[in-house]
Amino acid sequence: GAPTLDVPGAVPWRKAGIVYKKNEVYLDAIERVSALVGSDGELISGRVNGSIQMKVYLSGMPECKIGLNEKFMMEAESGYQNAASSAMEGRPTNVAQKACRSQVALDYIKFHQAVKLQNYESDHQVHFVPPDGEFELLSYTVSDSRNFTLPFTVTSWYKSLGRTRGELNVKIKADFPSSLVAFQVITWIPLPKSTVKVSMQATGGKTKSKYVDLANNQTHWKLSELRGGKEHKFKAIIEMMAGTELGGTSSGEVWEKKVPPLKLTFQVPMFTSTGLRIRFLKVHERSNYQPVKWVRYLTCAGDDYEVRVKH
């Protein structure tokens, strides 16, 4: 028979005749935040890698439309409008659009092949006939720190309590609305190689002795939940072996000169660092069914979310 692509409106990524008893669309906007934060809590450098992940269980040949909030829009002047569709995939955006401060300057955005790019330019909406099942609709990167906010303010400092003892303090505050709650907020705390004992205390969360991992020179502090606006403090008293390095300085004194950074891992549902919001998600199909639609947001730590320790 004739190739199916000759059928008007046929798309290579979706076959005709798909049927579901229950029509459903799931949209997950996920942002991974990487950061290097100074000991004073100020951001030194960072970036957000975001994506919109979809699970689509829809009958027939649906057309979907998604509206992103204006804050997140790329200007029409970004040099996109003259480019051929294929060249546009993943093109870095230019300076014209970065000049508009109320908007998030995207370093990079990449669309699934199903997205009709000319619509995105004309009405700032993402139009597409979705593939069936799971796929990534788009992904983007933002590295200008004026265009994203960190979910937490974390400060940390270390002080020596003599040749073989030291004290490491951490303070963490949730900088999002009190209607939101972060989960699994874990601070990974470095320890000197010569550590023999650690005693920990905190105003919230867990500081179990089994968290102390001398083999990997670290311990951690775990807040299973942290509500927006709340602040907690942590203190570890670190005891070290009295052995000295060559030249007569104790290993604690050597470590004190160059304390490694803390690492943070976390998940904050219903929050986006860039302020991305899905204004609407519309589905139109000839048979006019009304699908069930779910939209979720999640911000979590990227590969490296580090906080320097003042010493």
Side-chain angles (χ1 to χ4, degrees), residues 212-270:
V212 177
D213 178 3
L214 295 181
N216 291 304
N217 309 311
Q218 68 173 15
T219 184
H220 64 270
W221 167 35
K222 180 174 167 184
L223 291 155
S224 300
E225 294 188 4
L226 180 57
R227 186 167 287 283
K230 290 268 183 271
E231 180 178 287
H232 283 295
K233 292 174 185 161
F234 165 93
K235 181 198 287 191
I237 303 289
I238 301 163
E239 298 185 27
M240 294 158 269
M241 270 187 306
T244 56
E245 311 255 328
L246 285 168
T249 51
S250 72
S251 51
E253 288 167 316
V254 171
W255 193 77
E256 191 190 335
K257 289 192 176 73
K258 197 176 190 306
V259 182
L262 312 173
K263 280 190 171 17
L264 215 65
T265 52
F266 55 82
Q267 297 184 352
V268 193
M270 304 316 288

Side-chain angles (χ1 to χ4, degrees), residues 122-168:
S122 62
D123 63 8
H124 286 341
Q125 294 174 7
V126 184
H127 291 232
F128 57 102
V129 173
D132 189 42
E134 295 188 31
F135 63 98
E136 181 173 275
L137 180 67
L138 59 88
S139 61
Y140 56 90
T141 303
V142 176
S143 65
D144 183 337
S145 61
R146 289 171 297 186
N147 283 310
F148 62 89
T149 54
L150 298 181
F152 308 100
T153 299
V154 184
T155 51
S156 179
W157 61 100
Y158 175 83
K159 69 177 183 196
S160 171
L161 303 175
R163 282 173 73 84
T164 60
R165 290 176 82 231
E167 177 188 304
L168 198 148

Side-chain angles (χ1 to χ4, degrees), residues 161-228:
L161 303 175
R163 282 173 73 84
T164 60
R165 290 176 82 231
E167 177 188 304
L168 198 148
N169 291 273
V170 183
K171 191 165 80 172
I172 185 164
K173 181 174 189 286
D175 291 330
F176 41 85
S178 58
S179 55
L180 303 182
V181 177
F183 295 98
Q184 297 297 89
V185 181
I186 303 174
T187 307
W188 302 88
I189 291 138
L191 297 171
K193 284 194 169 64
S194 58
T195 302
V196 287
K197 187 177 172 222
V198 182
S199 44
M200 300 180 285
Q201 58 187 78
T203 59
K206 295 178 185 148
T207 54
K208 297 181 178 176
S209 54
K210 70 174 184 187
Y211 291 171
V212 177
D213 178 3
L214 295 181
N216 291 304
N217 309 311
Q218 68 173 15
T219 184
H220 64 270
W221 167 35
K222 180 174 167 184
L223 291 155
S224 300
E225 294 188 4
L226 180 57
R227 186 167 287 283

Side-chain angles (χ1 to χ4, degrees), residues 268-307:
V268 193
M270 304 316 288
F271 173 85
T272 54
S273 258
T274 61
L276 168 75
R277 279 284 171 268
I278 307 300
R279 288 192 300 131
F280 58 79
L281 164 54
K282 293 177 180 167
V283 177
H284 177 68
E285 210 277 331
R286 274 191 317 215
S287 58
N288 274 327
Y289 56 72
Q290 293 300 311
V292 178
K293 297 180 281 193
W294 303 89
V295 175
R296 295 186 300 188
Y297 302 91
L298 177 67
T299 291
C300 53
D303 295 335
D304 43 356
Y305 193 110
E306 297 188 337
V307 181

Side-chain angles (χ1 to χ4, degrees), residues 46-171:
R47 69 177 182 283
V48 176
N49 290 325
S51 66
I52 293 181
Q53 305 287 341
M54 300 203 68
K55 291 181 193 161
V56 172
Y57 309 112
L58 297 173
S59 307
M61 273 291 167
E63 294 200 9
C64 297
K65 263 199 300 196
I66 290 173
L68 304 176
N69 53 333
E70 288 303 313
K71 183 176 192 272
F72 208 74
M73 282 311 149
M74 295 162 57
E75 299 288 83
E77 293 80 56
S78 61
Y80 266 24
Q81 66 274 39
N82 326 333
S85 298
S86 59
M88 285 178 56
E89 291 261 330
R91 259 185 65 187
T93 65
N94 81 347
V95 183
Q97 172 247 331
K98 288 183 160 59
C100 182
R101 274 273 69 87
S102 65
Q103 297 196 321
V104 170
L106 300 168
D107 296 322
Y108 186 90
I109 186 162
K110 182 166 178 262
F111 293 98
H112 187 279
Q113 62 173 356
V115 174
K116 297 170 184 168
L117 294 167
Q118 63 277 18
N119 290 99
Y120 185 72
E121 289 161 18
S122 62
D123 63 8
H124 286 341
Q125 294 174 7
V126 184
H127 291 232
F128 57 102
V129 173
D132 189 42
E134 295 188 31
F135 63 98
E136 181 173 275
L137 180 67
L138 59 88
S139 61
Y140 56 90
T141 303
V142 176
S143 65
D144 183 337
S145 61
R146 289 171 297 186
N147 283 310
F148 62 89
T149 54
L150 298 181
F152 308 100
T153 299
V154 184
T155 51
S156 179
W157 61 100
Y158 175 83
K159 69 177 183 196
S160 171
L161 303 175
R163 282 173 73 84
T164 60
R165 290 176 82 231
E167 177 188 304
L168 198 148
N169 291 273
V170 183
K171 191 165 80 172

